[in-house]
Amino acid sequence: MTITITAFESSPDRGRGQARDMRVRWALEEVGQPYEVRLLSFAAMKEPAHIALQPFGQIPTYEEGDLALFETGAIVLHIAGRHAGLLPEDANARARAIAWMFAALNTVEPPIVEREAAGYAEGDKPWHRERMPMLDSRVHARLEALSRRLGAGEWLDGAFSAGDLLMVTVLRRLERTDLLDAHANLRPYIARAEARPAYRRAFDAQHAVFARRA
Ligand code: GTB
């Protein structure tokens, strides 16, 4: 059955793989599932046809036969549940890997997104400079705990899993900041993930969309 996902027709990140379709592309590449991409303009994302698939008018979505999904966590979990390669077979190890998926999206990503949003939505406010150290320290608190748990490990819990995939996409949002510098094992962790052939294929595919339009 054909899998179709949606992505930005014109991504603001200029093909750096920051938009969330990257997570879905990467998961599909890890499990060896081919997929098609429907590119959407910002206007098309707000039209009824897309809102029927994604109530918030966002990308990505995932369609496979009569199944339509939104939310990258749900999509990656669906892919990982249907195909080998992203979740361990052992039930307890599988549950722990899923916990890392939630940790990435529920615990680590929110302070990163809030800090990022402060940069573009509040940069002109008189209190912006006073607020930033607090937002930085919230991100550092999460990175510190993550870094401690990862320690000298290659991945978060045994073999590479959907938990690592989501965590790395979250951490990559900090790639152009200095926030990772204080946590020595995190950049190498990201680099190990980025060296995976499936990651490279997914990255190149989303970059090609930008390159075609440039
Ligand atoms: N919780 C949802 C999920 O995980 O699927 C969030 C989806 C989401 O935030 N989608 C964004 C979107 O559609 C694109 S990824 N935004 C348009 C809108 O809300 O109207 C977020 C994103 C976009 C661009 C960059 N960038 O250019 O660096 C980074 C991240």
Side-chain angles (χ1 to χ4, degrees):
M1 216 163 327
T2 306
I3 294 171
T4 305
I5 69 167
T6 51
F8 285 138
E9 179 182 77
S10 180
S11 184
D13 75 342
R14 305 166 66 84
R16 285 188 298 115
Q18 292 289 344
R20 287 183 172 91
D21 57 291
M22 178 64 196
R23 299 169 176 180
V24 178
R25 291 174 184 272
W26 185 8
L28 288 167
E29 292 289 355
E30 288 284 351
V31 302
Q33 283 297 302
Y35 61 97
E36 294 180 357
V37 184
R38 188 163 67 248
L39 299 175
L40 297 177
S41 66
F42 280 89
M45 284 161 53
K46 309 303 172 195
E47 282 171 11
H50 187 67
I51 301 284
L53 294 174
Q54 216 291 4
F56 308 103
Q58 298 182 311
I59 58 94
T61 55
Y62 175 100
E63 292 156 82
E64 183 183 13
D66 53 12
L67 173 68
L69 281 178
F70 63 100
E71 283 297 330
T72 49
I75 297 170
V76 172
L77 185 55
H78 169 76
I79 295 167
R82 290 285 164 94
H83 307 280
L86 282 171
L87 286 174
E89 288 294 320
D90 173 75
N92 286 355
R94 196 175 183 91
R96 289 196 306 274
I98 293 170
W100 278 115
M101 295 177 70
F102 279 86
L105 303 184
N106 251 7
T107 303
V108 180
E109 187 165 46
I112 294 176
V113 170
E114 190 177 359
R115 181 188 175 278
E116 208 173 89
Y120 59 75
E122 306 167 357
D124 58 343
K125 301 288 189 288
W127 37 261
H128 174 70
R129 284 170 64 92
E130 265 180 75
R131 189 162 181 257
M132 281 314 284
M134 180 194 73
L135 296 179
D136 283 357
S137 75
R138 285 183 184 162
V139 174
H140 275 305
R142 295 304 190 218
L143 297 183
E144 176 60 32
L146 180 68
S147 169
R148 205 177 321 117
R149 175 56 76 99
L150 178 64
E154 189 178 16
W155 307 114
L156 287 167
D157 190 339
F160 177 84
S161 79
D164 295 294
L165 184 152
L166 289 178
M167 191 64 80
V168 166
T169 61
V170 166
L171 295 177
R172 285 192 71 249
R173 298 186 76 137
L174 298 171
E175 68 176 359
R176 294 196 165 185
T177 74
D178 60 6
L179 290 170
L180 290 165
D181 299 348
H183 312 281
N185 55 355
L186 294 184
R187 280 197 199 277
Y189 171 58
I190 296 168
R192 275 194 296 281
E194 289 176 339
R196 295 177 70 82
Y199 175 94
R200 291 276 18 125
R201 289 194 295 274
F203 185 92
D204 291 349
Q206 63 77 40
H207 188 266
V209 175
F210 167 73
R212 270 200 305 274
R213 296 181 61 83

